[in-house]
Amino acid sequence: MSGAIASIAPGGRGVEGSALYWQDKIFYEHWKNAAEMGYVRLGPWSKHPWDDDGNVVNRRPWLPIELQIKEALNAQKDAHANYDVFYKGNLAAGIGDIFRPHLVDRICIDYDINPTPQANKALGIDPAFSSSQFAVIGLEERDKGIHVILAEAYDKPLFSEMVAACANLYFRDGYNAMYVDASNPEFIRESANTGAYIEPVPFNKELPDMIGSAIFYVEQQQLWIDRGFPQLIEEMKNARFREGLKSAAIDKPSGGLTFDRLDALLCGLRHWARKGSPAAASKK
């Protein structure tokens, strides 16, 4: 059964789960009113596709019906580009395969996000490209590991304003380095002119290694995220890895979720993952 929710009538009559997604909602009513209509209602199932031992148990976890309908309606705008969702009922949202959702929950706590003077800090920056957002992540090393102290994203900001804003943030809060997606050389060049230490990140080339480092930090509880950054948390739980012929990437689900904050986080974590960086060693 390919959908996340389904009803089966006594005697074997079944309702294919993806039928729930169409606008007429005929079969959604069958599922919703299963008892009155003589069906056995199945679901909800696991909230995430991992059991406590980390084994994949279900790659199509149950999701709130509102989220299912939202993603399905988005998929209908381009059915061929969203084949799995539109024709097979396989939702992309909620089934991340990079970070185990229950381990992400474990590193989400409440703490002071104000920057600490003289602490080892790094900025991860994913400049806006095409339909994506301009994302900035601030990371600070504390006794219990690396803490996210900033997680912001902006829709199509002015280039000159972001160069100035990031430089101001860098010097005001005492960051050691900026790690910037190398696909935007103009932003890197202009930011370097401000006197900040800039390290370009060849994102597509090094993504597998960066993901591996991030998974390690999450699993070993060496990375912490304040609960006040829900968008970053959502991106981590939904992220899916896609390995292409020429490069790797993080899949973009049809529900409209982007991963710009996560991309910036992966860039910023290089400050600690690459011990040979002069910026990483500058305050040790």
Side-chain angles (χ1 to χ4, degrees), residues 162-174:
M162 293 313 299
V163 170
C166 289
N168 177 66
L169 178 67
Y170 178 92
F171 291 107
R172 184 194 69 194
D173 294 342

Side-chain angles (χ1 to χ4, degrees), residues 29-200:
E29 293 301 321
H30 282 67
W31 180 84
K32 182 178 179 182
N33 303 307
E36 293 83 354
M37 301 180 72
Y39 287 81
V40 176
R41 176 171 167 175
L42 303 180
W45 295 340
S46 171
K47 293 174 65 178
H48 57 72
W50 313 89
D51 63 17
D52 290 338
D53 295 324
N55 301 309
V56 177
V57 295
N58 175 22
R59 286 191 175 274
R60 301 185 188 115
W62 181 85
L63 296 169
I65 191 65
E66 294 82 6
L67 180 57
Q68 296 184 48
I69 292 174
K70 177 182 177 181
E71 183 171 356
L73 292 177
N74 279 318
Q76 289 184 37
K77 297 175 183 177
D78 189 344
H80 292 291
N82 298 286
Y83 180 86
D84 274 358
V85 177
F86 189 84
Y87 292 107
K88 298 173 65 177
N90 296 343
L91 294 182
I95 52 175
D97 61 7
I98 295 178
F99 302 100
R100 301 169 185 174
H102 67 289
L103 295 185
V104 174
D105 287 334
R106 193 174 65 174
I107 64 169
C108 297
I109 59 175
D110 298 311
Y111 55 84
D112 184 1
I113 62 173
N114 290 308
T116 306
Q118 305 305 314
N120 189 18
K121 292 187 283 290
L123 283 174
I125 298 176
D126 181 31
F129 180 78
S130 183
S131 61
S132 63
Q133 295 179 308
F134 189 110
V136 182
I137 294 290
L139 299 169
E140 178 177 293
E141 186 175 342
R142 298 179 180 177
D143 291 340
K144 293 184 177 180
I146 304 164
H147 289 63
V148 177
I149 60 173
L150 176 71
E152 296 182 353
Y154 308 90
D155 289 314
K156 301 185 183 305
L158 293 177
F159 176 83
S160 58
E161 289 183 355
M162 293 313 299
V163 170
C166 289
N168 177 66
L169 178 67
Y170 178 92
F171 291 107
R172 184 194 69 194
D173 294 342
Y175 282 90
N176 297 72
M178 291 186 197
Y179 295 82
V180 185
D181 185 346
S183 64
N184 197 317
E186 185 179 359
F187 178 85
I188 293 172
R189 181 174 58 253
E190 293 299 321
S191 295
N193 289 337
T194 67
Y197 176 84
I198 309 293
E199 186 166 323

